[in-house]
Amino acid sequence: MAPLVLISPVAGTADVVVARRASWRDRLMARLRSTRLDDQLARGVAPTASAPLALRAEALGRSRYEAREPRRSPRARVPLHRNAVLAAAQELDELARQLLSPGPLAARGVARVRLLLVDGSSPLYFSRAEVDLRAAVAEALEDLNPSFGW
């Protein structure tokens, strides 16, 4: 059975949400475009903007989503930006506590964390990143709190 997704219809009816079953195409797009969808969620695009976004947000919110997938060996390892990691140690510890705590997490925050981890140009790895690692972690922490403002 296809998962249920909630979609806001045409502009001008933002307070109306329609439920429908996800199509095979929606599920395929959610899987193939996961990083692009994570980027959109991290920028604050509402999960109800499209079926693939809704499916991706739901997948990110599943308990232990990444841990239950088969372990893949990394193709290439990008070294951590050690000085930034050491400077942001307290913030990273708080982020880990928040991620491991019981209760719901907002898709936007989980998407931000995932992008920090998988994007080689994130401040976690890249010394000349556009944003400081401490600031990026603080934003992710703030965005982990569920709200209906997307």
Side-chain angles (χ1 to χ4, degrees):
M1 177 186 290
L4 181 69
V5 294
L6 302 175
I7 305 296
S8 291
V10 183
T13 59
D15 54 341
V16 176
V17 178
V18 177
R20 71 170 176 86
R21 297 276 175 212
S23 69
W24 67 268
R25 186 177 188 283
D26 295 332
R27 293 190 309 276
L28 180 64
M29 290 300 101
R31 181 173 288 258
L32 293 177
R33 295 183 178 163
S34 62
T35 300
R36 184 181 308 163
L37 295 171
D38 288 350
D39 183 55
Q40 290 176 10
L41 290 166
R43 286 185 286 116
V45 175
T48 57
S50 71
L53 267 174
L55 291 167
R56 183 62 187 157
E58 188 273 331
L60 287 171
R62 270 189 256 137
S63 177
R64 297 183 186 108
Y65 174 77
E66 296 291 334
R68 291 183 188 209
E69 290 196 3
R71 180 156 167 76
R72 297 180 194 136
S73 57
R75 287 175 239 167
R77 291 186 186 250
V78 178
L80 292 174
H81 181 214
R82 189 169 193 269
N83 292 338
V85 170
L86 292 173
Q90 189 172 3
E91 290 85 352
L92 289 166
D93 285 341
E94 177 58 29
L95 182 62
R97 276 191 294 278
Q98 184 79 9
L99 290 168
L100 293 171
S101 68
L105 298 171
R108 181 178 185 177
V110 177
R112 278 188 187 261
V113 172
R114 184 176 179 279
L115 290 173
L116 268 175
L117 294 172
V118 301
D119 183 358
S121 67
S122 88
L124 188 60
Y125 307 106
F126 189 54
S127 62
R128 292 185 302 264
E130 293 178 15
V131 67
D132 175 69
L133 180 59
R134 293 176 82 177
V137 171
E139 288 175 0
L141 272 167
E142 185 176 319
D143 289 340
L144 282 172
N145 296 319
S147 75
F148 292 103
W150 308 111

